[in-house]
């Protein structure tokens, strides 16, 4: 608890006031999440639905649950009643299912579009062309129960800081372009989720407003 408190304070001290900390709690037992909660954290990120649905019912109801990992369409229904933000929307089909499940639950679900920015092979995320296609589609325009609040991206897992910075700044540029093209009248389009334990300083310098941090808070997984 002491150590965790130190780590939390250490990270929080390095975040500007406009940057939200999402504590990435994947693989951590509920007891650790409870400690983090008692130390004041409210935003928790999980990358597997199965873990989120095991933890959510036994923890306080004012936790903001963030789905940060790849989300399968057939799993959306399990988290739709409470998920606060889905960071990992990577297809129109997924967005459509989130909209459908949000409607069933009589709520609006906030989403980020995950953009593929890394140089290395990654299975998930939209490329720039796909991003424009989604936002221009009739399907998207007819969705009443989702809100696109911004973008998420993961930089290359690399020691090449110039490369990582370049990827983050590219995502920020894209964010600004989409903001003026599609969301000029939508103040909710304000979230740029980028930065993890190893690269969040760079991400913040390049315009991140939300960092997803696990290891720097809870230690190696
Ligand atoms: C695991 C994970 C993180 C956190 O990684 P750390 O290096 O432990 O901070 C952030 N984002 C996503 C999508 C993850 O899966």
């Amino acid at each position: 608890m002491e150590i965790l408190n130190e780590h939390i304070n250490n990270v929080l001290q390095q975040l500007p006031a406009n940057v939200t900390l999402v504590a990435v709690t994947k693989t951590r037992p509920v007891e650790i999440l409870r400690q983090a909660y008692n130390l004041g954290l409210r935003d928790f990120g999980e990358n597997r639905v199965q873990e989120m649905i095991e933890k959510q019912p036994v923890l306080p109801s004012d936790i903001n649950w963030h789905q940060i990992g790849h989300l399968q369409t057939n799993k959306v229904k399990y988290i739709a009643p409470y998920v606060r933000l889905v960071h990992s929307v990577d297809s129109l089909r997924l967005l459509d299912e989130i909209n459908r499940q949000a409607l069933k639950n009589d709520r609006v679900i906030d989403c980020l579009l995950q953009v593929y920015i890394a140089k290395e092979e990654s299975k998930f995320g939209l490329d720039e062309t796909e991003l424009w296609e989604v936002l221009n589609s009739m399907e998207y325009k007819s969705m009443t129960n989702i809100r696109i609040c911004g973008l998420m991206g993961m930089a290359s897992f690399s020691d090449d800081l110039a490369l990582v910075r370049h990827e983050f700044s590219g995502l920020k540029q894209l964010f600004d372009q989409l903001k003026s093209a599609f969301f000029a009248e939508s103040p909710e389009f304000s979230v740029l989720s980028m930065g993890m334990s190893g690269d969040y300083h760079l991400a913040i310098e390049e315009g991140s407003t939300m960092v997803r941090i696990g290891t720097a808070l809870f230690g190696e997984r």
Side-chain angles (χ1 to χ4, degrees):
M1 188 98 171
E2 295 254 313
I3 289 275
L4 180 55
N5 195 25
E6 241 172 68
H7 289 172
I8 291 173
N9 288 333
N10 181 41
V11 169
L12 286 177
Q13 269 167 25
Q14 310 193 49
L15 304 185
N18 69 317
V19 175
T20 302
L21 171 61
V22 175
V24 175
T25 49
K26 64 186 184 200
T27 77
R28 315 289 177 180
V30 163
E31 202 37 54
I32 298 290
L33 279 74
R34 211 184 299 280
Q35 286 179 14
Y37 180 90
N38 289 336
L39 291 167
L41 297 188
R42 292 295 179 271
D43 288 272
F44 293 164
E46 291 285 341
N47 72 338
R48 290 178 54 239
V49 165
Q50 187 56 37
E51 261 190 81
M52 194 186 289
I53 65 183
E54 283 169 13
K55 293 170 179 175
Q56 186 271 342
V58 298
L59 287 164
S61 59
D62 61 342
I63 289 174
N64 300 315
W65 291 96
H66 296 250
Q67 172 66 30
I68 61 171
H70 179 64
L71 179 56
Q72 284 175 280
T73 311
N74 61 1
K75 301 264 173 74
V76 174
K77 57 178 176 287
Y78 301 117
I79 60 172
Y82 57 83
V83 68
R84 176 66 194 83
L85 183 64
V86 178
H87 292 228
S88 47
V89 174
D90 58 2
S91 71
L92 189 58
R93 201 170 78 90
L94 177 57
L95 200 57
D96 184 53
E97 177 62 8
I98 297 171
N99 183 60
R100 202 183 298 268
Q101 295 299 333
L103 194 62
K104 273 195 187 167
N105 285 279
D106 196 23
R107 62 186 297 246
V108 172
I109 296 182
D110 287 347
C111 296
L112 305 179
L113 298 172
Q114 182 174 354
V115 185
Y116 173 80
I117 56 170
K119 231 172 141 218
E120 61 208 15
E121 273 306 306
S122 153
K123 282 178 286 186
F124 306 117
L126 300 155
D127 65 27
E128 210 172 313
T129 312
E130 292 166 333
L131 207 50
W132 286 80
E133 275 170 15
V134 167
L135 294 171
N136 277 315
S137 69
M138 290 310 293
E139 294 98 315
Y140 163 65
K141 288 174 188 163
S142 71
M143 293 175 191
T144 51
N145 289 62
I146 50 105
R147 282 201 315 178
I148 304 285
C149 296
L151 304 179
M152 183 271 245
M154 291 170 80
S156 295
F157 193 71
S158 164
D159 292 335
D160 183 349
L161 296 187
L163 172 67
V164 172
R165 183 184 292 282
H166 178 76
E167 290 169 356
F168 284 145
S169 77
L171 186 58
K172 166 68 166 144
Q173 266 181 29
L174 194 53
F175 175 90
D176 290 340
Q177 283 168 12
L178 296 176
K179 174 98 186 148
S180 54
F182 297 98
F183 299 100
E185 319 273 295
S186 314
E188 74 274 8
F189 191 87
S190 61
V191 180
L192 188 51
S193 169
M194 59 184 197
M196 316 185 358
S197 293
D199 58 18
Y200 71 95
H201 296 102
L202 273 182
I204 289 168
E205 284 173 24
E206 297 304 327
S208 170
T209 70
M210 189 173 277
V211 290
R212 310 175 310 272
I213 297 185
T215 310
L217 297 175
F218 305 110
E220 294 294 332
R221 276 181 297 274

